Amino acid sequence: MQTRCWQVTFSPQPAITAPMQEFLDEFFAVNAIDYTPDGQEQGIGYAQDGNFSEQAMLAFAQSKSLKLPSYQISLLKSENWLKDYVIKFAPFTTGDFCIYGIHQTTPPQTSLQTLQIYAATAFGSDHQTTRACISAICELYHQGADVSTVLDMGCGSGILSLCAGKLWPQSRILAADIDAEAVVVTLNNAAHNGLTDNITVLQSDGYKTPQISQQAPYNLILSNILANPLKEFAPALTAALSPLGYCVLSGFVDNQVDEVIAAHTACGLKLLKIYSFDNWRAALLQKA
C-alpha cells in the first residue's frame, strides 16, 4: 500500500452531474462523494503519489469538454490512506439493509439485514443511485419475484450483488466489471458477508466475456453505471434477460431518463417504475 496520496477536493455542487462522475471514475484511482449539511454533493478524487499531475487533470477535463468546479489539492500521508481517508463512511440504511464500513469491527444494532462493505476503489456505496437500485431490488423481493440467476453488470463494490445474495440466498449471481480492482473489492466483500458460494466475479468489458452469455438467461440484471453505456448495452442486456425477467438500471440523471428508457423499450422491455433520489434516477423494467 502506498503511504502517500494526493487528494483533490472539489467545491460542493447541488448534484454531481453524470459527466463529472464519469470524469472522477476515469481519471482518479479512487473517488468518493461527500454530502454537505445543506444537501449538496462534493466530489473527491484520490491518486497515489507519483501518479498525479494537476496539469494532466485539467487537460483530461478539457478533453471531456468539462468545466471543473473549484478545487483544493492536498497531500495525504498515511500507512493506509484508503482506510484512513476514503472508506470511513457512516452506516446507512436503505430498503431492507443497514450497510456499514469494513473499518467497523462490530455490526450496528439493527433489525435490518447487515452488509459490511470495503469500498476502496469501487467507492460509491452510499450514492443516490445505489440507494435507488437497492430500493428497486427490495421491492421486487417483497413482490415475490422469482430470482434464481442474477447478473450485476458494472458491479463496482459488489453491493447490489450482495443485496441480491442476501434476499435470494439460493440464487446464482455473476458480477462483472471492467476494472480489475473492482473485481478484487467485490470478491473481498462477498467473503466478508458469507456470499462466496453465491457470487462469481469476473473482469469484463461490458457483455463481451463469453461466460456472461454462457450463463444466460438471467432473471434479474442490475446495472448501475452511466447513461451512455446503458444505452449501448441495451440490446445485449435484453438478449441476456429471461422472458419476464427484470432489470434495474441507474447512473443517469433526470434529463437523461427518456433516452435511457427509449433505448431499452426499443429492444422490447417495458418500463415498470422510475425511482428518484435527488437528481439521480433508477428504472425498473421487465422483458415481455
Side-chain angles (χ1 to χ4, degrees):
M1 176 65 64
Q2 295 284 337
T3 58
R4 305 198 316 173
C5 84
W6 292 98
Q7 175 182 285
V8 182
T9 304
F10 296 92
S11 61
Q13 305 292 305
I16 298 294
T17 64
M20 182 65 182
Q21 183 65 64
E22 185 175 0
F23 163 79
L24 292 170
D25 289 339
E26 293 184 5
F27 184 78
F28 292 99
V30 181
N31 72 82
I33 305 296
D34 275 356
Y35 303 92
T36 61
D38 60 356
Q40 296 197 90
E41 299 181 0
Q42 184 171 39
I44 306 173
Y46 299 86
Q48 291 183 353
D49 190 19
N51 293 336
F52 174 75
S53 159
E54 182 178 9
Q55 183 177 2
M57 179 184 74
L58 295 174
F60 186 75
Q62 185 177 20
S63 72
K64 297 281 188 180
S65 300
L66 178 65
K67 183 179 180 181
L68 293 176
S70 59
Y71 57 86
Q72 292 183 335
I73 300 175
S74 306
L75 181 62
L76 308 179
K77 298 180 181 181
S78 169
E79 291 299 320
N80 189 335
W81 55 267
L82 277 174
K83 178 180 177 181
D84 293 341
Y85 292 100
V86 181
I87 66 172
K88 284 191 175 180
F89 59 91
F92 66 95
T93 60
T94 296
D96 292 30
F97 295 95
C98 178
I99 298 157
Y100 66 105
I102 203 72
H103 60 282
Q104 293 184 237
T105 56
T106 57
Q109 295 296 314
T110 177
S111 60
L112 299 172
Q113 296 210 53
T114 57
L115 289 175
Q116 190 176 31
I117 299 294
Y118 182 89
T121 54
F123 200 83
S125 299
D126 190 17
H127 193 268
Q128 293 97 321
T129 58
T130 306
R131 290 176 176 268
C133 289
I134 294 174
S135 296
I137 294 168
C138 292
E139 190 166 342
L140 279 176
Y141 170 75
H142 288 291
Q143 290 173 353
D146 180 17
V147 173
S148 59
T149 52
V150 180
L151 173 63
D152 184 359
M153 176 55 66
C155 59
S157 68
I159 188 170
L160 301 183
S161 292
L162 301 179
C163 290
K166 288 287 188 178
L167 293 175
W168 294 283
Q170 303 306 315
S171 62
R172 177 171 51 86
I173 301 166
L174 181 61
D177 202 289
I178 194 171
D179 185 353
E181 293 185 61
V183 172
V184 173
V185 171
T186 298
L187 286 169
N188 287 338
N189 284 333
H192 276 291
N193 291 278
L195 291 168
T196 52
D197 290 341
N198 302 71
I199 300 174
T200 301
V201 191
L202 57 85
Q203 185 176 5
S204 177
D205 182 4
Y207 289 78
K208 295 178 181 178
T209 301
Q211 189 173 349
I212 293 175
S213 57
Q214 290 167 2
Q215 294 193 19
Y218 303 92
N219 305 132
L220 175 61
I221 296 180
L222 311 168
S223 196
N224 182 12
I225 45 178
L226 292 169
N228 286 336
L230 284 175
K231 292 186 292 181
E232 177 187 344
F233 292 160
L237 179 151
T238 304
L241 196 60
S242 65
L244 302 180
Y246 298 93
C247 68
V248 175
L249 311 175
S250 194
F252 51 94
V253 293
D254 183 54
N255 63 8
Q256 297 172 318
V257 169
D258 290 346
E259 59 190 84
V260 171
I261 300 306
H264 291 82
T265 55
C267 295
L269 302 187
K270 178 176 68 174
L271 175 65
L272 299 182
K273 187 172 181 178
I274 295 289
Y275 298 79
S276 300
F277 279 70
D278 297 328
N279 193 43
W280 293 91
R281 302 291 180 264
L284 173 63
L285 300 99
Q286 186 176 27
K287 187 174 181 179

